[in-house]
Amino acid sequence: GAGVSQTPSNKVTEKGKYVELRCDPISGHTALYWYRQSLGQGPEFLIYFQGTGAADDSGLPNDRFFAVRPEGSVSTLKIQRTERGDSAVYLCASSPSRGGGYTFGSGTRLTVV
Amino acid sequence: DQQVKQNSPSLSVQEGRISILNCDYTNSMFDYFLWYKKYPAEGPTFLISISSIKDKNEDGRFTVFLNKSAKHLSLHIVPSQPGDSAVYFCAARAQHDYKLSFGAGTTVTVRA
């Protein structure tokens, strides 16, 4: 597609549930990033993929968070046993190469109640 | 620890006047700086950037100034237009890095 697509745009889930957030990057972009923006803060790095592999997952807050990109295109961010503190906007970005200019998606607003 | 700080959460400016947004950073390894603009329900979009080898970069109505010794940069928008009303994020990264560190953002409101 023309831009980075994220689905769903909004997700409300109950505490303790499992959620999956999807990112469809720009075709041909090998680098993919996930960021999280909490209320009143700027985006914070979660994980970086180069191709199919997670090259840097140092920003994932704990082992409840996991992300995959099995075919080097679409990525899914998975959150287990959600907590209210996980409520945030999850942003995905892609770039043609490592460190290249980012294009962000519109984000998924996750609300844990 | 927040390595990029935008100390003004909001700014209101009259249409046609100059908007000045400020950003400070603490990490001396940062050498590339970017400004992003964000409208509600949309992702951040790239606006302008500057490398540490420069102290000024201009693109139309937008100019970014970098003061390395003070670890400070600013974005000037002149003249401000109603469509400039948005949240502006300052971001920085180290050379050859891919991770961006963002400030908390400044909400700009341009009054008619």
Side-chain angles (χ1 to χ4, degrees):
Chain A
V4 177
S5 175
Q6 291 189 247
T7 54
S9 55
N10 281 283
K11 175 73 176 177
V12 180
T13 191
E14 292 181 347
K15 179 176 177 295
K17 298 289 188 183
Y18 168 83
V19 296
E20 290 189 352
L21 312 180
R22 176 187 167 108
C23 173
D24 202 339
I26 292 173
S27 178
H29 280 194
T30 59
L32 185 146
Y33 316 84
W34 284 97
Y35 282 74
R36 177 169 76 171
Q37 185 182 3
S38 300
L39 192 63
Q41 299 181 24
E44 294 178 309
F45 172 80
L46 294 177
I47 187 169
Y48 156 60
F49 286 89
Q50 182 60 43
T52 60
D56 182 352
D57 64 358
S58 63
L60 295 178
N62 53 59
D63 62 6
R64 295 186 297 104
F65 289 74
F66 189 71
V68 296
R69 194 186 185 198
E71 296 177 357
S73 178
V74 171
S75 176
T76 305
L77 178 65
K78 308 180 181 196
I79 310 174
Q80 298 178 321
R81 304 183 304 280
T82 52
E83 300 177 357
R84 293 196 178 89
D86 300 335
S87 297
V89 175
Y90 289 81
L91 292 164
C92 176
S94 69
S95 65
S97 60
R98 177 186 184 277
Y102 284 26
T103 300
F104 279 94
S106 297
T108 294
R109 180 175 296 278
L110 176 66
T111 304
V112 182
V113 297
Chain B
D1 63 332
Q2 198 160 10
Q3 301 183 75
V4 178
K5 296 180 181 179
Q6 295 176 255
N7 292 319
S8 296
S10 63
L11 172 70
S12 180
V13 63
Q14 193 162 13
E15 183 178 1
R17 305 297 288 267
I18 186 170
S19 295
I20 299 177
L21 291 78
N22 293 302
C23 177
D24 297 290
Y25 62 96
T26 58
N27 189 338
S28 58
M29 299 298 291
F30 288 153
D31 68 350
Y32 190 69
F33 305 89
L34 310 91
W35 286 93
Y36 284 84
K37 178 178 179 179
K38 186 181 182 304
Y39 293 119
E42 295 184 13
T45 56
F46 171 75
L47 191 58
I48 192 169
S49 63
I50 188 166
S51 166
S52 61
I53 62 173
K54 294 185 173 183
D55 55 17
K56 176 182 174 181
N57 189 27
E58 190 172 351
D59 183 1
R61 297 185 296 113
F62 303 91
T63 303
V64 56
F65 296 92
L66 176 63
N67 182 335
K68 289 187 291 293
S69 61
K71 293 191 175 68
H72 176 85
L73 60 156
S74 62
L75 174 68
H76 292 207
I77 308 172
V78 57
S80 299
Q81 298 176 352
D84 296 332
S85 296
V87 179
Y88 291 78
F89 291 101
C90 174
R93 65 172 170 85
Q95 188 179 29
H96 305 310
D97 201 352
Y98 45 81
K99 286 188 284 194
L100 293 176
S101 294
F102 284 85
T106 296
T107 301
V108 172
T109 303
V110 180
R111 309 184 311 271

